[in-house]
Amino acid sequence: MKKQFDLKADRFYNSNHLWVKKNGNGHVTVGMDELGLDSLGEMAYLTLPNVGSPVEMGKAMGSMEAAKMTGEIYAPISGMVVEKNDAVLENPLLVNEAPYDNGWLVKIEPINWDEESATLVSGDALPEWMDAEIERFESQGIAG
Amino acid sequence: MDVLLRPVVPMPEVVLQTLDIPVQNPFEIRKENFPNEITFYGPGLKPHKTSEFSGSLKEFVSISVTGNNCALNCEHCNTKMLDDMLDLPSFDGSLFDMAKNLQKNGAKGVLISGGSNIRNQVPLLHHIEDMKRIRKDLGMVIRIHPGLPDEETCEALADVDIDGVMLDIIGDQETITDVYHLDATPSDYEAVLERLGRHGIPAIPHIILGHYFGKMNGEWAALDIIKKFPLKSLVLVILLPLTGTGMEGVVPPSLKEIGDFFGTTRKSFPTTPILLGCARPLGAIKIKIDRMAINAGLNGIAFPSEGIVGYAGDKGLKPSFINACCGVTW
């Protein structure tokens, strides 16, 4: 039986398994989704961009070391970092424990939201996309 | 009074010997005996990328000849380490066929590993002919995890032309009994090193620091055992407490204990390549451990932390990079 992963319907997702949630003030919050974290294992170390840093969609904005992978974190959206989550820097496991809440990574003021968000997955497309992603992870041997 | 009732534990020979060595920075010992070079390894198993190093999962691939099966449910592993290896029993073909496919995808070498029987022997004998073909026909580098190979297995491996045998050396009875649940003694590990040496098989012993539930119990004694035999290289790893194992939540040895052990090992083995292997605690502490390894004059590091290549450069060491197990060269 396939593993099941929770996806919050109020946000956008990309193939690196980062989520983006539009906030009321026009900023977006960024975090990691459950499927991505399942394949990464326990998070041990994170670096995140400083407040005020520009980030560009698809370019590295930080790095991570998890039980099953060490690598870069790519920005899911372009803009300016307005806040970073110091709590996950102090306790990286928080990302695994509360990926959609206290385990968020950064908040960004987007500069090209309409165009870039259209490339992310959201709404009714989510269930089918998640099924395909689970299959992709299993076929590539990267499922947790 | 309690102190008086404790049995007197003899000081390990390696420690006694290093007491006689004039106080010398271990990094200076390295400088005297090796070129100013350091190698960073990416042994596959998991994606590893820092700003200075980019590992490959394709060049060197680990294969488990038993899939996920192991008769020893060791407290530190519980078969978890087999999870990231290719599962030979599920593959439609022989070990040679699997290696040939891997080579087509860019593999230059393989680690042939697997679970053990209750005597900590990995069942390798019926793959010997395939291993010979992997060497002869494909020219691939072969490393082996044999567990505690018996005479017959060593004799067979001697004909394969393997690059090296990697095995944990345990100098403490409690660790053998309580962690491995194995009916063996430290002398069995010594016997294996003797057997490998007699058959001319390059030995690459590993010592796991903190193997006894985070405590340093038999690591110094392991050095005593290893010192008696010829080595290709010596690999130090540190207990990485894995979730879902009996070591979950265990606190690894302190940085001081780790640093002291690195230093003593360098002093005890001044001309042997000493490498920091893949397993060690992750995160911020890993960066400190890696720096200590460089300061103590170790010759190579697997899965280097962010910034450590630059740190080695600052110490005057020229880096090289190999996507394979510690000590492999192409």
Side-chain angles (χ1 to χ4, degrees):
Chain A
M1 189 177 152
K2 268 186 185 174
K3 275 188 181 178
Q4 296 297 310
F5 300 96
D6 187 21
L7 281 186
K8 300 292 180 191
D10 61 351
R11 44 201 97 183
F12 297 74
Y13 298 81
N14 74 5
S15 59
N16 289 327
H17 289 273
L18 292 170
W19 55 258
V20 180
K21 183 185 177 190
K22 192 94 188 272
N23 303 325
N25 59 2
H27 296 167
V28 298
T29 304
V30 174
M32 294 183 185
D33 76 27
E34 279 192 358
L35 174 57
L37 286 165
D38 186 65
S39 70
L40 292 172
E42 290 183 356
M43 196 63 64
Y45 188 67
L46 283 165
T47 62
L48 296 171
N50 288 327
V51 171
S53 305
V55 294
E56 189 180 337
M57 186 184 197
K59 298 282 174 65
M61 67 170 191
S63 65
M64 66 178 157
E65 181 164 27
K68 300 178 191 174
M69 180 180 173
T70 301
E72 291 173 319
I73 301 170
Y74 299 102
I77 211 87
S78 304
M80 185 76 77
V81 176
V82 292
E83 197 176 341
K84 64 176 174 176
N85 188 355
D86 290 328
V88 298
L89 295 175
E90 286 170 22
N91 174 21
L93 263 182
L94 193 55
V95 178
N96 301 84
E97 290 164 359
Y100 298 118
D101 299 303
N102 297 336
W104 60 276
L105 303 177
V106 290
K107 293 183 181 177
I108 294 171
E109 182 179 0
I111 52 171
N112 195 12
W113 171 255
D114 288 342
E115 197 177 312
E116 291 183 346
S117 64
T119 67
L120 304 175
V121 185
S122 64
D124 293 342
L126 284 174
E128 194 179 334
W129 174 76
M130 182 54 108
D131 281 346
E133 283 295 279
I134 292 172
E135 208 159 291
R136 176 171 74 89
F137 274 44
E138 285 178 351
S139 69
Q140 292 178 358
I142 51 178
Chain B
M1 285 302 288
D2 178 48
V3 171
L4 295 175
L5 295 174
R6 282 185 189 163
V8 177
V9 179
M11 192 173 277
E13 193 61 30
V14 288
V15 177
L16 289 172
Q17 286 170 1
T18 55
L19 293 176
D20 295 333
I21 297 173
V23 177
Q24 190 180 12
N25 182 330
F27 191 78
E28 294 301 317
I29 297 175
R30 174 210 216 282
K31 279 174 73 177
E32 280 175 17
N33 293 291
F34 296 95
N36 286 329
E37 295 166 0
I38 186 166
T39 309
F40 296 98
Y41 299 93
L45 293 171
K46 66 173 188 177
H48 185 87
K49 186 174 188 297
T50 70
S51 64
E52 305 164 320
F53 179 87
S54 191
S56 157
L57 295 175
K58 290 185 174 176
E59 285 184 58
F60 191 85
V61 182
S62 300
I63 299 169
S64 170
V65 296
T66 65
N68 268 351
N69 297 307
C70 181
L72 298 175
N73 283 312
C74 300
E75 297 295 332
H76 64 293
C77 173
N78 197 23
T79 74
K80 297 269 176 198
M81 291 176 199
L82 300 174
D83 287 350
D84 297 323
M85 299 184 183
L86 291 186
D87 181 346
L88 182 63
S90 299
F91 176 71
D92 185 17
S94 66
L95 179 62
F96 176 79
D97 296 332
M98 182 178 257
K100 197 172 174 184
N101 283 356
L102 292 170
Q103 190 179 48
K104 280 181 196 159
N105 288 322
K108 299 180 193 169
V110 285
L111 167 63
I112 299 170
S113 182
S116 302
N117 63 16
I118 55 165
R119 292 181 298 282
N120 197 13
Q121 293 163 342
V122 178
L124 297 169
L125 279 174
H126 57 284
H127 299 293
I128 294 293
E129 292 309 312
D130 278 330
M131 291 184 207
K132 287 179 185 170
R133 289 185 66 201
I134 292 169
R135 274 301 295 145
K136 197 176 167 194
D137 299 354
L138 305 179
M140 294 172 82
V141 167
I142 299 178
R143 283 283 180 95
I144 303 277
H145 270 168
L148 289 174
D150 58 12
E151 185 68 29
E152 187 183 7
T153 304
C154 287
E155 201 174 324
L157 287 174
D159 289 336
V160 176
D161 183 28
I162 56 179
D163 184 72
V165 153
M166 304 192 287
L167 72 167
D168 299 336
I169 296 299
I170 304 171
D172 167 54
Q173 187 60 55
E174 277 187 316
T175 305
I176 297 169
T177 307
D178 298 345
V179 176
Y180 279 72
H181 311 299
L182 195 60
D183 182 15
T185 67
S187 63
D188 291 306
Y189 291 83
E190 191 166 330
V192 166
L193 287 177
E194 183 278 327
R195 211 171 282 146
L196 291 169
R198 184 158 36 82
H199 286 283
I201 300 170
I204 305 161
H206 287 45
I207 299 178
I208 304 174
L209 279 64
H211 207 167
Y212 192 79
F213 300 95
K215 291 184 185 141
M216 300 278 285
N217 258 18
E219 289 76 350
W220 309 96
L223 283 181
D224 277 351
I225 292 172
I226 290 166
K227 209 155 193 292
K228 299 174 186 171
F229 303 98
L231 312 178
K232 176 164 181 164
S233 56
L234 171 59
V235 177
L236 304 180
V237 294
I238 299 153
L239 178 76
L240 171 59
L242 296 172
T243 51
T245 71
M247 298 284 182
E248 184 173 348
V250 160
V251 178
S254 68
L255 284 170
K256 177 165 187 336
E257 287 175 301
I258 294 168
D260 287 349
F261 195 83
F262 286 172
T264 301
T265 307
R266 175 79 288 161
K267 289 174 189 169
S268 304
F269 295 83
T271 58
T272 302
I274 305 170
L275 309 159
L276 181 59
C278 357
R280 58 196 184 278
L282 304 176
I285 192 173
K286 184 178 164 194
I287 298 173
K288 292 178 182 171
I289 292 170
D290 290 7
R291 284 176 172 237
M292 288 196 312
I294 288 173
N295 294 343
L298 270 59
N299 303 83
I301 296 179
F303 292 140
S305 305
E306 179 65 54
I308 214 67
V309 177
Y311 184 77
D314 292 343
K315 301 279 284 184
L317 300 172
K318 185 183 168 198
S320 60
F321 305 93
I322 290 183
N323 282 312
C325 271
C326 283
V328 167
T329 51
W330 301 129

